[in-house]
Amino acid sequence: MSLMNGAAAKIDAYNRDAVLSASPVRLLTMLYDRLVLDLTRGEAALDAQNWPSAWENLRHADQIVAELASTLKVDAWDGADGLLQLYTYVTDLIVTSNIDRDAAGVREAISLIEPLRDTWHEAAAMLPADGAEATRLTAGSTPRASRWDPSAASIGEGRDLGVA
């Protein structure tokens, strides 16, 4: 049993180190990846009527959205207020789905978050490999417009991504 605990402790330490050493942009993409994972797990748990698992995953997803909203610099770029409104709406979907035990709201949240996550990943991929511009896009670069992309119109040449 202690062998399993030792392995779990090493995995936890590795994950903690990965987060602590990540650039701000990498942290942002990690948060979005985990948010989609939690929402997907929450949806599956709701469909399976596994209420404790649904609650845990959706609660964690809600905490991630709260973190994304709290670190958003609403005065940094024009699209930030719209993104904050989206975070508020997604929070409402998560909470209502959890209370009502209804996966439809979680599916809607996923459909809103996935394109945004993909866009942030594309923006992060445009950064220089050395991380010198960890919170900026390279000159002349903008993320490809996805199904819904609040950043494409407002993040332009050398503009701040608007996240802490």
Side-chain angles (χ1 to χ4, degrees), residues 5 21 30 56 63 66 71 76 96 99 107 137-138 150-151 160 162:
N5 290 338
S21 64
M30 290 169 74
E56 182 65 29
Q63 290 173 337
T71 59
T96 302
I99 292 169
R107 280 190 285 278
L137 289 175
T138 56
S151 58
D160 191 350

Side-chain angles (χ1 to χ4, degrees), residues 105-152:
V106 178
R107 280 190 285 278
E108 183 178 355
I110 293 169
S111 74
L112 294 169
I113 293 297
E114 278 185 331
L116 192 54
R117 178 207 49 195
D118 295 344
T119 300
W120 284 120
H121 273 282
E122 290 173 20
M126 292 181 206
L127 294 173
D130 65 2
E133 295 289 325
T135 59
R136 296 190 173 290
L137 289 175
T138 56
S141 299
T142 56
R144 176 182 57 82
S146 295
R147 289 165 275 181
W148 182 81
D149 182 9
S151 58

Side-chain angles (χ1 to χ4, degrees), residues 44-119:
L46 286 173
D47 286 338
Q49 297 183 357
N50 182 345
W51 312 131
S53 178
W55 180 86
E56 182 65 29
N57 284 287
L58 295 177
R59 182 190 59 80
H60 194 253
D62 184 47
Q63 290 173 337
I64 292 172
V65 175
E67 181 67 21
L68 290 169
S70 72
T71 59
L72 184 64
K73 296 178 183 175
V74 293
D75 57 349
W77 54 286
D78 297 337
D81 190 49
L83 185 55
L84 184 58
Q85 290 175 9
L86 177 71
Y87 290 154
T88 301
Y89 182 67
V90 168
T91 294
D92 290 344
L93 288 171
I94 293 169
V95 170
T96 302
S97 296
N98 213 357
I99 292 169
D100 295 344
R101 296 179 173 180
D102 182 17
V106 178
R107 280 190 285 278
E108 183 178 355
I110 293 169
S111 74
L112 294 169
I113 293 297
E114 278 185 331
L116 192 54
R117 178 207 49 195
D118 295 344
T119 300

